Amino acid sequence: MSQPPPPPNQPPQQPGFGPPQEPSEPQTPAPPAPATPPTPPAQPPQQPPAGPDLNKAPQPQPGYGYPQAPGTPPPAAPPTPPQGPGYGYPQQQPAGYGYPAQQPGPYGQPGPYGQPQQPGPYGQQPPYGYAQPTVPMQAQAGQPGGGRKVNAQVAIIVSAVVAIALIVGGGVWYANSSGKDDDKQTTAEGGDTKGGEGDGKEGGSGDGGATTGEAEEKAPAATGSKVLFQVPSPKVPKGVTTISIAGSWLTDSVYAKSGLSEITGYDRKSGTKKWTLDLPGPVCAATPHVTEDNKTAIVHKPAMPSKTDPQACSEVAVVDLAAGSKVWTKTAKSGTMPVSFNNVTIGGGTVAAGSTSGGAAWDLATGDERWAPKTSDSCYDAGYGGGAKLVAVRKCGSYDQRQLHIQNVDPKTGDVLAEYKMDEGIEYAAVVSTDPLVVAADVGDSAGDGSGISDFFSIDNKTGKLRARLSAPGDEFAARCDAIYKVENCTGVTVGNDRLYIATEEHDSGGDSYSQTNEVVAFDLATGKQTGQRADAGENYEIFPLRMDGPDVIAYKRPPYDKGGQVVSIDGESFKETILMENPSTEAVRDVESRMSPDYSEIQFGQGGLYMSSVYASDFTSREKEYSVIAFGTE
């Protein structure tokens, strides 16, 4: 097995310091943006394959861990890239669709698998001699809907969007800043434009883990939404291909979004800037968790990168989203070297950040250090899952004999309260929920689609014993996790009511219409079996669970090419769907919304507001103005 190169943000470690260093995995290039809808073909498209077996029983559950099948060969070939622009739109010939051609990386690094090296913007070699994957070209703008799955060979590599080396400059354009008439004519602006209407019942917000309280979101009398505001994509500096702008948060009054080297807080309804927090360098990682007093955590670089100094992701900071200010900033060392962190989270009053050099943690309120990497450790904390509890994904052993320890840790001391050891050969795991404890893994690289998931593991976080294993083949289920770097970054799945709610893959909806659809189904975390509950997306829609809302599930429906998206609440018991929002179907609005793929965007919904944002900015141009944020509201 060839070893992938180390990450670009990780400085070289001195020999003899810290835990055994893992040859790092390639970082993720930015995902493609959808392309303009093509003209329908004269001939009807071929009928798509049938959908997943929603009544499929799980495989036999092992007693301890999930043994990897010996000698399992890799797939003979990657799956075919998605065809056509999206749900409800007639399929086209493969040429021009699927995953776009690759472009030179930001530092001129060679592409994966021995691809010829391309000159970078400064003509230099990658820092520290790292070989990195190239960044894919963005697809032509304007494609509504569209395939989520990419070529498997590429997708397995591209699993950390926000880990792209950043060379940052320029400024950010803000909503309503230009005041130009042409902006209103070419964007989704037009506050009186509304979508369809529907009846509804109460919904609510949840933490994606243990079910507590009642649903809070309430369907309005009129569910048709209007565009509240949008934020144009920031201009990247000349010579820079892609820059991470990951990180978005929602409070009672503020929607906050990362820019090139700043975080901006917008009024939730008007989009007016309430504050701007300038940062010395770009944001590398951010937790989605927000405390009751509106605090969150980020990792950022200490300065702007340059061609001679790419800068490490060494600064861990707590941000006050109400005041728009930093509470504190801390760093950690492994031996004498600063740690470059890959991920950060909040749990139990602790901020914890993980890396290939080990993990560190600080008191959320004071910034006092709670633990740091130890040079004597033979294992290291690659990452953490937060929220209701704090869970560490700890890696032990050599690269070719890796064993993962899933640890429920005391957030104040780091002491292990319970531990589950996964079988050797499972190299990466993502934390889907900390309470109840659920992790996802691609066992034996069997998912085959780059999703990072073939199985979910339900673990008792008090005893560390395996409760159940849930088989979720990549060709049947549409959830994705970035278990390589962003340990708690999963889409298309949420947990509550001691159940796992997951989106299925798109499939033929039946009949002669050649339409596509999918579902959200539920698994019992105690037995590992499907409950029989199923929420249908509807003809030519695609449904994605976003989060729990008390006992209910909040889900986003990606629309056909000629309609606006929907937000629905799914009753946790009856699975009855209630429309909370339906977005405008005008072409200008659809063009912006359709670019916000649920797999590669950040989607926040709360108090009748839907906020969709990109996780990257690029220098790729299109006929239409690009936006990093679009916000919808029903009130």
Side-chain angles (χ1 to χ4, degrees):
M1 174 177 181
S2 62
Q3 297 182 1
N9 289 330
Q10 180 67 35
Q13 303 296 320
Q14 294 183 354
F17 287 99
Q21 294 302 308
E22 174 183 38
S24 173
E25 302 74 14
Q27 59 187 14
T28 305
T36 303
T39 303
Q43 299 297 326
Q46 294 183 355
Q47 190 166 359
D53 180 2
L54 301 177
N55 296 314
K56 179 177 178 180
Q59 300 175 15
Q61 176 182 325
Y64 189 70
Y66 177 40
Q68 181 179 357
T72 303
T80 303
Q83 308 296 321
Y87 285 0
Y89 205 86
Q91 296 182 4
Q92 304 295 307
Q93 296 298 324
Y97 297 94
Y99 210 71
Q102 293 188 339
Q103 298 295 313
Y107 294 103
Q109 62 268 35
Y113 306 114
Q115 292 180 2
Q117 183 170 349
Q118 303 294 330
Y122 299 103
Q124 77 271 19
Q125 299 296 317
Y128 309 127
Y130 293 161
Q132 303 170 11
T134 56
V135 179
M137 178 185 295
Q138 180 175 344
Q140 183 180 2
Q143 173 185 346
R148 301 181 321 279
K149 301 300 179 186
V150 297
N151 180 286
Q153 185 181 26
V154 177
I156 292 173
I157 301 172
V158 295
S159 49
V161 171
V162 297
I164 295 173
L166 306 179
I167 301 178
V168 188
V172 176
W173 297 349
Y174 297 98
N176 304 323
S177 62
S178 66
K180 295 181 180 179
D181 292 338
D182 60 345
D183 184 61
K184 294 186 178 182
Q185 293 172 359
T186 60
T187 73
E189 280 192 304
D192 295 333
T193 304
K194 301 218 174 184
E197 297 182 0
D199 297 329
K201 72 169 196 60
E202 292 188 2
S205 77
D207 58 9
T211 300
T212 57
E214 298 180 354
E216 295 178 354
E217 300 290 345
K218 295 183 178 181
T223 58
S225 71
K226 64 180 181 181
V227 175
L228 300 177
F229 63 92
Q230 65 280 316
V231 181
S233 294
K235 294 284 188 179
V236 300
K238 184 178 180 180
V240 177
T241 302
T242 305
I243 291 177
S244 168
I245 54 171
S248 61
W249 305 268
L250 199 58
T251 73
D252 288 342
S253 60
V254 170
Y255 171 75
K257 173 64 183 169
S258 293
L260 295 183
S261 58
E262 62 198 358
I263 300 174
T264 302
Y266 301 94
D267 181 273
R268 287 184 50 145
K269 294 186 177 181
S270 68
T272 303
K273 284 195 296 182
K274 301 187 75 170
W275 50 260
T276 297
L277 173 61
D278 292 324
L279 301 172
V283 174
C284 304
T287 179
H289 299 295
V290 178
T291 65
E292 292 184 357
D293 59 349
N294 298 320
K295 304 295 194 306
T296 193
I298 62 171
V299 175
H300 66 84
K301 295 190 174 187
M304 299 302 293
S306 69
K307 64 179 181 180
T308 58
D309 188 358
Q311 297 291 328
C313 296
S314 58
E315 313 296 300
V316 178
V318 167
V319 176
D320 186 330
L321 297 172
S325 61
K326 274 190 182 183
V327 179
W328 52 256
T329 303
K330 299 293 180 179
T331 59
K333 289 185 177 181
S334 178
T336 60
M337 298 297 295
V339 176
S340 186
F341 293 104
N342 297 324
N343 55 77
V344 66
T345 194
I346 296 175
T350 291
V351 176
S355 75
T356 55
S357 296
W362 300 266
D363 182 276
L364 173 63
T366 65
D368 293 340
E369 184 178 284
R370 289 186 166 170
W371 65 84
K374 296 180 177 64
T375 57
S376 59
D377 282 351
S378 60
C379 304
Y380 66 93
D381 290 355
Y384 299 91
K389 296 184 181 297
L390 188 62
V391 172
V393 177
R394 190 164 178 82
K395 294 191 175 186
C396 298
S398 61
Y399 182 73
D400 57 351
Q401 287 186 308
R402 178 77 65 225
Q403 186 174 42
L404 301 184
H405 298 199
I406 309 301
Q407 299 176 333
N408 181 18
V409 301
D410 185 320
K412 297 186 183 301
T413 64
D415 294 339
V416 178
L417 303 177
E419 180 179 72
Y420 171 71
K421 295 180 180 180
M422 306 188 82
D423 276 14
E424 290 185 8
I426 302 177
E427 298 183 20
Y428 309 104
V431 179
V432 182
S433 168
T434 59
D435 186 21
L437 178 53
V438 180
V439 298
D442 186 358
V443 179
D445 296 328
S446 59
D449 62 349
S451 64
I453 304 173
S454 66
D455 298 83
F456 293 92
F457 296 81
S458 173
I459 301 167
D460 189 313
N461 55 22
K462 294 183 179 179
T463 65
K465 294 182 178 179
L466 182 69
R467 300 176 65 200
R469 179 183 63 81
L470 291 65
S471 178
D475 61 348
E476 296 183 21
F477 296 94
R480 305 179 69 91
C481 288
D482 176 9
I484 295 178
Y485 287 123
K486 314 303 179 191
V487 169
E488 61 178 0
N489 183 8
C490 295
T491 61
V493 62
T494 191
V495 173
N497 303 321
D498 206 34
R499 294 168 185 163
L500 180 138
Y501 301 96
I502 184 172
T504 68
E505 283 287 2
E506 59 185 303
H507 58 84
D508 178 18
S509 60
D512 299 327
S513 64
Y514 301 99
S515 60
Q516 297 277 291
T517 191
N518 78 322
E519 301 80 23
V520 171
V521 297
F523 282 84
D524 189 308
L525 292 177
T527 66
K529 298 180 180 180
Q530 288 193 37
T531 64
Q533 296 167 306
R534 175 171 125 176
D536 295 318
E539 187 174 5
N540 292 323
Y541 284 88
E542 186 178 14
I543 190 169
F544 295 83
L546 298 178
R547 62 174 175 86
M548 295 304 298
D549 180 11
D552 298 342
V553 179
I554 299 295
Y556 172 72
K557 287 188 178 183
R558 199 173 193 197
Y561 76 98
D562 58 348
K563 295 182 180 180
Q566 295 180 350
V567 177
V568 298
S569 176
I570 304 171
D571 187 279
E573 292 300 326
S574 69
F575 254 47
K576 177 184 177 182
E577 296 181 43
T578 299
I579 296 177
L580 302 178
M581 173 181 289
E582 186 165 4
N583 294 334
S585 60
T586 56
E587 182 178 0
V589 177
R590 296 198 320 264
D591 284 348
V592 180
E593 181 181 6
S594 65
R595 295 187 180 99
M596 304 296 182
S597 164
D599 277 329
Y600 299 112
S601 302
E602 295 169 339
I603 302 179
Q604 308 272 357
F605 179 83
Q607 299 179 19
L610 174 67
Y611 304 83
M612 309 177 75
S613 65
S614 302
V615 294
Y616 71 98
S618 74
D619 65 350
F620 300 119
T621 59
S622 70
R623 294 175 298 173
E624 303 293 338
K625 183 180 267 186
E626 299 289 340
Y627 290 85
S628 63
V629 175
I630 184 168
F632 299 93
T634 55
E635 298 179 358

